[in-house]
Amino acid sequence: MTDSKYFTTTKKGEIFELKAELNSDKKEKKKEAVKKVIASMTVGKDVSALFPDVVNCMQTDNLELKKLVYLYLMNYAKSQPDMAIMAVNTFVKDCEDPNPLIRALAVRTMGCIRVDKITEYLCEPLRKCLKDEDPYVRKTAAVCVAKLHDINAQLVEDQGFLDTLKDLISDSNPMVVANAVAALSEIAESHPNSNLLDLNPQSINKLLTALNECTEWGQIFILDCLANYTPRDDRESQSICERVTPRLSHANSAVVLSAVKVLMKFMEMLPKDLDYYSTLLKKLAPPLVTLLSAEPELQYVALRNINLIVQKRPEILKHEMKVFFVKYNDPIYVKLEKLDIMIRLASQANIAQVLAELKEYATEVDVDFVRKAVRAIGRCAIKVEQSAERCVSTLLDLIQTKVNYVVQEAIVVIKDIFRKYPNKYESVIATLCENLDSLDEPEARAAMIWIVGEYAERIDNADELLESFLEGFHDESTQVQLQLLTAIVKLFLKKPTETQELVQQVLSLATQDSDNPDLRDRGYIYWRLLSTDPVAAKEVVLAEKPLISEETDLIEPTLLEELICHIGTLASVYHKPPSAFVEGSRGVQHKRLPARTGSSGESVESPEVGSVAGGPGAEAPPAVIPSQGDLLGDLLNLDLAGPATSGPPPPPAAMQLGTMDLLGGGLDSLMGDESEPPHIPLRMEAQSPSPQPQSPQSPEYYHAQLGGDIGGSPAMGVGFGAPPAVMPASLNAPVGGGLGDLFDLGGSVGMPTGAYIPPKTVWLPAMKAKGLEISGTFARRAGVIQMELTITNKAMSVMSDFAIQFNRNSFGLAPAGPLQILTPLSPNQTIEASLPLSTVGPVMKMEPLNNLQVAVKNNIDVFYFSCQYPISMLFVEDGKMDRQVFLGTWKDIPNEHESQFQIKDCHLNSDAASNKLQGSNIFTIAKRTVEGQDMLYQSIKLTNNIWVLAELRVQAGNPTYTVSLKCRAPEVSQCVFQSLEAVLKN
Amino acid sequence: MIGGLFIYNHKGEVLISRVYRDDIGRNAVDAFRVNVIHARQQVRSPVNNIARTSFFHVKRSNIWLAAVTKQNVNAAMVFEFLYKMCDVMAAYFGKISEENIKNNFVLIYELLDEILDFGYPQNSETGALKTFITQQGIKSQTKEEQSQITSQVTGQIGWRREGIKYRRNELFLDVLESVNLLMSPQGQVLSAHVSGRVVMKSYLSGMPECKFGMNDKIVIDKQGKGGATDEAAKSELGGSGKQSIAIDDCTFHQCVRLSKFDSERSISFIPPDGDYELMRYRTTKDIILPFRVIPLVREVGRTKLEVKVVIKSNFKPSLLAQKIEVRIPTPLNTSGVQVICMKGKAKYKASENAIVWKIKRMAGMKESQISAEIELLPTNDKKKWARPPISMNFEVPFAPSGLKVRYLKVFEPKLNYSDHDVIKWVRYIGRSGIYETRC
């Protein structure tokens, strides 16, 4: 055979030639031609023009030719729906063929032709095939129901196919049962609440019977389906487990993993004191180990799953450490996973062996692997206390190799070891310091600086060392800068006499020359602390740090439970819930492990398990190094529980508002009279622009305030000073952002904030725009209205040639320039664009008034969406009305043009409110206090010169404000009010 | 489930593309090529998520097979299926190469249509497939033949067809073991295990019921309690050193009744016709390590290495090991090597960075050694040479795990041949797996 020749036809006029050949009378020639067509199709050429000619070849008794034509049909039917109808007759006829293979082929292919019109013709043949006498046809028809459901779910329900499918679960042929189960499971996934599968003890029994008889694939479908069942009690659970256990000896790894999933899940329901429970635990280990002798890709899947199983039930594999030793020829992905599991299994009993292995790995070639091995040594030290000394000496040996990345990695982990065992291994510092010059990675530099700062009193030349880093301060990454700042402050507090100059230098570098708000804010905090009360500063900055916990990067328990329910699947490979990578309704459903139904209600882990070091118990969440969000929470708690209480009590009013107000209130009383209760909880901003003012003069203003005449309030000092002292030690978590937010909050108190910018919202979801996702917001910066866009390419091809246009709108908004996206956007890339807007475009009244219709074009298509802009973007800077004019205008505007609104749950006092509003160009003209009620009179001017006058009534202690708006064009009032509310509440 | 299946050549050109689900577009084909085949660095995972589409891939020589999905599929199943796909293709047209795939693309499409329906794997036993996917067309089938095909494809015994007849009923049984070892330079066993396979060739008439027995510790102990059969078992084992072995775990061909194994630990099955792998097993206890490697590496200055390696054979003197090969890695900056060996031939292979020492045959309880002087070019490379382990290959005519076949009984009630009429051949081969000694 030399079919490969079909791949090489590239001449012109090919389609025409093929057409002639397809219509040839000779059967052989026809077949040849169809083969050529299929080959062209495979390599991606468009041969859809031949549709009618190919379909004409369908009427044949040559099965091979028929199959080729069907293949073509499946590919192109969708693009030529009308032509596809031509094929229907043949299908219907084939479904009646005496040969079961042909009947099955017809029904199988028909389901793959995704043309709506065809589906109605499909129903009758499908109904017949579902009841066909031949099991081969029935098993094919069962899958076809799932295909049809994917095209037209309603039709399947209306035609009653689901009931027929359910009946097939009781079919005599195991393969029919398996396919019916697969089809039903898939359909059920898109109807999460329907009781489609209707699993009950009887149907489970049928499935378990079929399990013994069907093919390996069928066994997988059935086991995966069983895993969704929740047994009624522990007895049923045990009997299912007993019948599933034999599958652990199957040669197919997927069968084994699916069986493991069922067992892991149903085990939850068994009482721990049961003999069977411990037998089952013992039975699980050998098959898991056997999976490691499979092909490398499967090993990888198995290892990712074992990683989960080890976290959930460490007792299963605790004696199997050796099988996870890395082999020299393992692919890198297997090596890395094995290493991960080795660390999880490390215990006092096997630590010597593990360490010897890790040391061996640290000399390998692959850089990632070596790094991970070095890091693993550090983790062993932290996990198994008895081994710490050996680990440290191993690390020192590795540092002696002078291999750059090994040294850097070693220093990072040694920092963690210091955190776990303070004052124990400081003798090694000298060796570390020798390698200062070779460190070029931020993490390693930061770690080294932390060590120098933390142990400054024992390092004679600490000041010189830190000074050497200071020279290139601005070239360092933020991580290093922050660390350097903290380290030098620590040094100063320890050796104040000789390092005064140094500390001043770093503080000025951080506060005056840096654009980074995190750094600047931390600098100011230290500066103030030091200038106000050095003793308090010492207490804060040099406070004793909490020890770090021994287990790192454990999966969070609820996620772990969900992933256990997904053993064997992609979710278990990615270690992410299906909703994170599956689109649409599938997989949205969260699976949970069943709860114990026994009367005792004891914990899920057996008592003897509790002794396993660091083993995550199911009821007590394990001590995990917290992720960013938790970390911040912890820090705040720490503040309250720790030093804060030793200071003078904060003002009672602030007390009620909880943790955050301790900070906010404290600052308020220090920095001004306004009080603005910060939001609780803290926002973790990822993308939305921070409310921190970016204008160049603000730091000085801030500085003046800070350095000024403020009486020291330890409460404030403690509140802010503690986090930086703890932060550096808190391992590798990227805490900068969190900390930044903390300070942002401080920043927004006591000074006029910038204009309110609503957070970005998704305007154009990727689903609707062929993978283009646009989210955005509007901002007014320095008098210019800007549309700020985040554009993400979620498609698989590159996007380019972006352009934007607006429809006519109420205020004549129009792009002031072209959309500046110069480089093409590659898949998964995100870019930020800012589009200046003018207000001189064509005007048309929109409903609602602030609606804006936008068209975005790229190389793929044109997309339309509409969004609403906050009208506060249109408030101009010169909107402050003269007092007299204001009074006159107010009287002038007839009362029917006055509208009244209420703003609820606003806790600002009148001054803070006025300040905040001013940031958005809502100017307070006058303030009056009547019977404890503050009345603010405000004016606003829109870009089209419409004036809006406002009266804001604020009563102390009452969170509800009343706003009266007067305007000659009353239709804007509603919009203005919305903006007002948004500004006040954010 | 699987949304699509693509086969590429080493350049990333598509040879086969079959899409099963609507959510997989043509651009997925390109996405895999761009992000995996043409990726700048080596791809570090067999599963990749590109633009919310997951790609599973395996490589066979320089051919890439990729399965694509947008759903949360059973990942283990996808890989098992890809391997199976390779097996099926190999069974049809031999080696998986670009040439063969292009030559058989019509066949491959036909197979893909049959063994994967809407992304769900269907019966993929080559024995069954070959009955009706022949590339000759189904012409002369009678009605009986057709229903026989379908009942076999969907049936409980999908791996065997009825009506097979042989004049001579014969059975070949091979116990193939690969013994794996990782030893420290000091001779301490870091890890050792045997992974074994029982591979059979059966030429039996009808639908025979087979029963296989070996010296599995659990079975022997159980029988020991029974008393009577114990003697028989012992005599059958022929007084070999150890009588039973502890099997850590075993897996079986789908023909074996797993529930019966689970309850009685007996291995009973109706065998496929021809070649198949009956079981795989793994043992870690009391392994006979056929060879011991004793390395001695000495660095003489910066430009010279002295290596001495002794190998000792550790089995009955009457047995002969074959195809012995010792591979001693050399540093990358090796400039020259002088080798002296007492037995066999040794050569320095610069392209492989190793000294390869080959010995054709070696009897048990013997010892041999090689010494080499390696000249090095001076380098200013700071990083030390990683010293890969010394590896070894060999073949021995016994099972290093100690496994012995006790019986293999055949019953065919319908045809008139009995267990005694079947000619049975048993063979033991122990090979080296990854047999390494660190130096």
Side-chain angles (χ1 to χ4, degrees), chain A residues 922-942:
Chain A
I922 302 164
F923 299 93
T924 305
I925 312 291
K927 180 180 164 185
R928 207 151 59 106
T929 309
V930 182
E931 297 164 354
Q933 211 177 36
D934 288 338
M935 320 272 267
L936 297 175
Y937 292 98
Q938 298 170 313
S939 71
I940 299 163
K941 187 182 165 191
L942 296 177

Side-chain angles (χ1 to χ4, degrees), chain A residues 1-4 6-7 35 38-39 41-44 63-64 67-68 71 74 78 98-101 105 108 114 134-136 139-140 143 146-147 150 173-175 179 182 186 212-213 215-217 220-221 224 242 246-247 249-254 257-258 283 286-287 289-290 295 297-298 300-301 322 325 327-329 332-333 357 360 363-364 366 368 403 405 566 568-571 573-574 578 580-583 586 794-796 828, chain B residues 1 14-18 21-22 26-28 31 42 44-60 69-77 79-81 83-84 99 102-106 109-110 113-114 117-118 120-125 132-133 135 137-138 141 143 146-147 149-151 153-156 182 189-191 193 248-254 258-259 261-262 280 282 382-383 386 388-389 434 436 438:
Chain A
M1 275 198 284
T2 49
D3 282 357
S4 59
Y6 302 123
F7 281 84
K35 278 190 188 178
I38 300 290
M41 190 175 88
T42 298
V43 297
L63 200 65
E64 192 191 358
K67 283 184 178 173
L68 287 174
L71 191 64
M74 286 186 261
K78 224 182 163 187
N99 186 341
L101 292 172
L105 178 66
R108 184 167 67 211
R114 304 181 54 90
D134 195 293
Y136 184 75
K139 72 115 187 162
T140 312
V143 177
K147 293 179 189 170
D150 196 34
N173 185 295
M175 195 153 171
N179 276 4
E186 177 165 343
N212 287 325
E213 295 165 350
T215 65
E216 45 194 331
W217 314 115
I220 300 169
F221 306 153
D224 284 352
E242 279 167 357
R247 298 299 122 200
S249 307
H250 203 286
N252 186 314
S253 308
L257 268 178
S258 290
K283 278 192 174 170
V289 173
T290 299
E295 286 85 345
E297 292 87 2
L298 264 174
Y300 174 72
V301 173
K322 274 188 179 179
F325 284 178
K327 292 187 189 125
Y328 190 72
N329 292 326
I332 182 68
Y333 50 82
E357 282 294 307
E360 199 71 39
T363 60
E364 282 231 27
D366 190 282
D368 282 351
V403 177
Y405 53 85
H566 288 293
T569 68
L570 258 184
V573 175
Y574 292 147
F581 59 90
V582 176
E583 276 167 11
R586 289 179 211 278
K794 293 197 170 170
M796 281 187 271
N828 272 336
Chain B
M1 280 307 115
V14 203
L15 304 178
I16 297 286
S17 110
R18 177 76 160 92
R21 298 259 171 163
D22 215 26
R26 182 84 205 175
N27 48 4
Q42 190 198 350
R44 296 174 82 95
S45 162
V47 186
N48 295 284
N49 195 312
I50 306 161
R52 293 179 82 82
T53 307
S54 298
F55 294 83
F56 300 76
H57 74 263
V58 300
K59 249 188 121 178
R60 286 288 179 271
T69 182
K70 282 209 165 181
Q71 299 173 23
N72 183 30
V73 297
N74 188 321
M77 186 187 78
F79 280 123
E80 282 284 2
F81 177 79
Y83 301 141
K84 194 72 174 197
E99 195 56 32
K102 281 184 169 175
N103 276 334
N104 293 285
F105 81 98
V106 174
Y109 276 125
E110 200 176 341
D113 199 41
E114 185 60 43
D117 191 7
F118 201 40
Y120 290 105
Q122 304 292 308
N123 192 336
S124 44
E125 287 300 313
F132 69 107
I133 295 185
Q135 285 287 286
I138 312 169
Q141 281 165 355
K143 198 146 182 168
Q146 285 165 6
S147 70
I149 289 170
T150 57
S151 78
V153 173
T154 61
Q156 295 184 21
L182 184 62
V189 176
L190 296 173
S191 76
H193 74 271
D248 289 24
D249 188 39
C250 47
T251 60
F252 296 99
H253 185 270
Q254 57 170 325
L258 293 179
S259 39
F261 178 75
D262 195 57
R280 278 178 188 230
R282 183 167 45 83
K382 258 191 196 168
K383 196 172 178 315
I434 294 165
E436 294 178 337
R438 288 183 180 156

Side-chain angles (χ1 to χ4, degrees), chain A residues 751-878:
Chain A
M751 65 171 83
T753 51
Y756 161 63
I757 300 167
K760 282 188 178 171
T761 48
V762 176
W763 286 337
L764 183 66
M767 302 269 283
K768 284 192 180 161
K770 305 187 180 171
L772 175 68
E773 188 182 82
I774 298 181
S775 54
T777 185
F778 292 89
R780 187 179 182 91
R781 298 191 195 280
V784 179
I785 308 169
Q786 291 192 318
M787 186 176 195
E788 297 189 337
L789 301 163
T790 303
I791 302 174
T792 309
N793 179 359
K794 293 197 170 170
M796 281 187 271
S797 55
V798 174
M799 294 182 176
S800 59
D801 309 330
F802 286 91
I804 194 164
Q805 220 164 21
F806 295 172
N807 199 354
R808 284 189 288 174
N809 54 71
S810 317
F811 293 92
L813 282 174
L819 186 59
Q820 296 282 341
I821 299 172
L822 300 173
T823 46
L825 202 54
S826 47
N828 272 336
Q829 195 191 347
T830 298
I831 59 165
E832 307 279 348
S834 178
L835 179 73
L837 306 181
S838 69
T839 52
V840 294
V843 177
M844 183 175 81
K845 197 180 161 195
M846 299 295 292
E847 191 54 46
L849 207 62
N850 57 342
N851 197 20
L852 180 65
Q853 296 177 332
V854 183
V856 171
K857 193 188 83 120
N858 64 10
N859 58 330
I860 298 172
D861 209 337
V862 182
F863 308 103
Y864 303 91
F865 62 88
S866 65
C867 53
Q868 295 185 2
Y869 48 91
I871 207 164
S872 57
M873 298 306 128
L874 303 171
F875 300 172
V876 293
E877 276 72 13
D878 62 347

Side-chain angles (χ1 to χ4, degrees), chain B residues 276-291:
Chain B
Y276 60 97
E277 182 181 292
L278 179 70
M279 72 178 280
R280 278 178 188 230
Y281 57 91
R282 183 167 45 83
T283 71
T284 46
K285 288 201 186 72
D286 304 323
I287 293 168
I288 309 159
L289 295 170
F291 285 95

